[in-house]
Amino acid sequence: MIIKLLKNLYPLFLLVFITSCATRSRIVYFKDVKDTQRKVINVEYKTIFQADDLLAITVSSSDMQGLEPFNLPAVSFNAIPGSVVGEQKQLTYLVRKDGTIDFPVLGTIELAGLSRIEATELLKTKMSSYIKDPIIHIELVNFKITVLGEVNAPGSFTIPNERISIIEALGLAGDMTITGRRKDVMVIREEDGLYKYHRVDITSDRVFNSPVFYLKQNDVIYVTPNNAQVRSSTYNRHTPVWISVASVLVSLGILLTR
């Protein structure tokens, strides 16, 4: 009786094993890219300053006289608690909710909605009355992205160069797990006070022309789990062990009946 039951269950276990295996098309990235193929990226990359950005702004000139009022001082802080050696760090400007900053001498300046080049030209024009041939350097110091879901190392990451693609972001998070849905990667982006949701298929080369291929500050990437992972979350944690035991019993039963 037991032998007969085990033989009847064997095809069921075999079916579960086969259907649980992911196909190549669901796992491999850029599967439609051919050898030596060139892909033109038509997505424009541009950092636009927005509220809550922290900006480090440095002013220099061939004539150093009169520059001091336009540069925030550098302060010393202990990078390691208890250390007697401090690290120098320049103070930054916080872009307020209304999109403005308070700049020395110049007063209130609106920078939200401007690109780096536009903000640089604006400051250069305003400073030209005080400084001869001013040179402006603006750095966004809190460019941050967050990667969540089915990745090996989820978390928030600070980007030093302000340019990162969705592929590089997934790499920072240790790549997607085998149970992550590569055809359904979500990017959440805040624009104009609204959250916008974009879905990206990493298995297709169309990702290179997605509007979210290059990420913006504070973007959130969420890798959704596949159906097998969702179903497994409802199982008892000991289920795989019992399946393994049942598989051994089925195999043993088949051997005994031969």
Side-chain angles (χ1 to χ4, degrees), residues 114-134:
L114 301 181
S115 67
R116 182 195 304 277
I117 296 177
E118 293 169 338
T120 300
E121 291 300 319
L122 175 62
L123 290 175
K124 186 180 297 185
T125 299
K126 290 181 176 293
M127 290 184 192
S128 59
S129 300
Y130 303 91
I131 302 173
K132 180 181 179 181
D133 300 326

Side-chain angles (χ1 to χ4, degrees), residues 29 110 159 177 181 241 255 257:
Y29 295 176
E110 186 172 354
I159 311 303
T177 64
R181 294 182 63 181
V241 176
L255 291 174
T257 58

Side-chain angles (χ1 to χ4, degrees), residues 156-174:
S156 295
F157 305 91
T158 300
I159 311 303
N161 57 5
E162 303 175 24
R163 180 183 184 275
I164 184 171
S165 70
I166 187 173
I167 307 302
E168 294 169 314
L170 291 172
L172 284 178

Side-chain angles (χ1 to χ4, degrees), residues 148-150 176-177 179-186 199 222-226 229-230:
L148 302 173
E150 291 298 313
M176 283 184 274
T177 64
T179 57
R181 294 182 63 181
R182 285 145 177 79
K183 292 178 176 290
D184 188 22
V185 178
M186 180 187 296
R199 294 188 181 274
Y222 176 66
V223 180
T224 55
N226 61 20
Q229 178 70 355
V230 172

Side-chain angles (χ1 to χ4, degrees), residues 6-249:
L6 292 176
K7 290 179 67 176
N8 291 334
L9 288 177
Y10 183 76
L12 177 61
F13 284 114
L14 184 62
L15 178 62
V16 170
F17 176 78
I18 294 175
T19 56
S20 65
C21 296
T23 62
R24 182 179 185 276
S25 63
R26 295 180 179 179
I27 297 177
V28 177
Y29 295 176
F30 324 127
K31 63 180 182 302
D32 46 0
V33 176
K34 300 178 177 59
D35 292 342
T36 70
Q37 178 182 351
R38 295 184 179 182
K39 185 71 176 180
V40 178
I41 300 177
N42 296 320
V43 180
E44 181 181 2
Y45 169 76
K46 183 188 297 184
T47 297
I48 303 297
F49 297 136
Q50 58 190 25
D52 297 325
D53 283 349
L54 289 176
L55 306 179
I57 303 177
T58 305
V59 183
S60 60
S61 171
S62 56
D63 183 3
M64 301 298 293
Q65 187 175 1
L67 289 180
E68 184 175 352
F70 295 95
N71 287 296
L72 293 179
V75 296
S76 179
F77 72 100
N78 291 333
I80 302 177
S83 173
V84 296
V85 180
E87 180 180 344
Q88 292 291 318
K89 182 178 180 181
Q90 183 183 3
L91 294 178
T92 57
Y93 298 90
L94 173 66
V95 181
R96 295 187 290 246
K97 294 299 182 182
D98 62 357
T100 63
I101 65 170
D102 284 330
F103 200 83
V105 181
L106 302 181
T108 301
I109 300 176
E110 186 172 354
L111 295 183
L114 301 181
S115 67
R116 182 195 304 277
I117 296 177
E118 293 169 338
T120 300
E121 291 300 319
L122 175 62
L123 290 175
K124 186 180 297 185
T125 299
K126 290 181 176 293
M127 290 184 192
S128 59
S129 300
Y130 303 91
I131 302 173
K132 180 181 179 181
D133 300 326
I135 301 173
I136 314 296
H137 176 74
I138 305 177
E139 180 182 357
L140 175 60
V141 300
N142 66 333
F143 190 109
K144 180 188 69 174
I145 55 100
T146 302
V147 187
L148 302 173
E150 291 298 313
V151 292
N152 289 296
S156 295
F157 305 91
T158 300
I159 311 303
N161 57 5
E162 303 175 24
R163 180 183 184 275
I164 184 171
S165 70
I166 187 173
I167 307 302
E168 294 169 314
L170 291 172
L172 284 178
D175 199 4
M176 283 184 274
T177 64
I178 197 66
T179 57
R181 294 182 63 181
R182 285 145 177 79
K183 292 178 176 290
D184 188 22
V185 178
M186 180 187 296
V187 177
I188 306 171
R189 173 172 295 174
E190 183 180 0
E191 292 180 330
D192 303 323
L194 299 173
Y195 282 109
K196 298 183 179 180
Y197 303 88
H198 305 262
R199 294 188 181 274
V200 180
D201 181 359
I202 302 296
T203 67
S204 171
D205 66 348
R206 290 192 298 273
V207 65
F208 295 109
N209 290 325
S210 168
V212 293
F213 178 72
Y214 286 117
L215 302 176
K216 295 184 178 182
Q217 61 267 44
N218 302 317
D219 277 357
V220 176
I221 300 174
Y222 176 66
V223 180
T224 55
N226 61 20
N227 293 332
Q229 178 70 355
V230 172
R231 288 194 300 269
S232 68
S233 65
T234 63
Y235 295 159
N236 185 286
R237 63 176 181 169
H238 298 299
T239 299
V241 176
W242 291 116
I243 292 177
S244 299
V245 172
S247 298
V248 172
L249 291 176

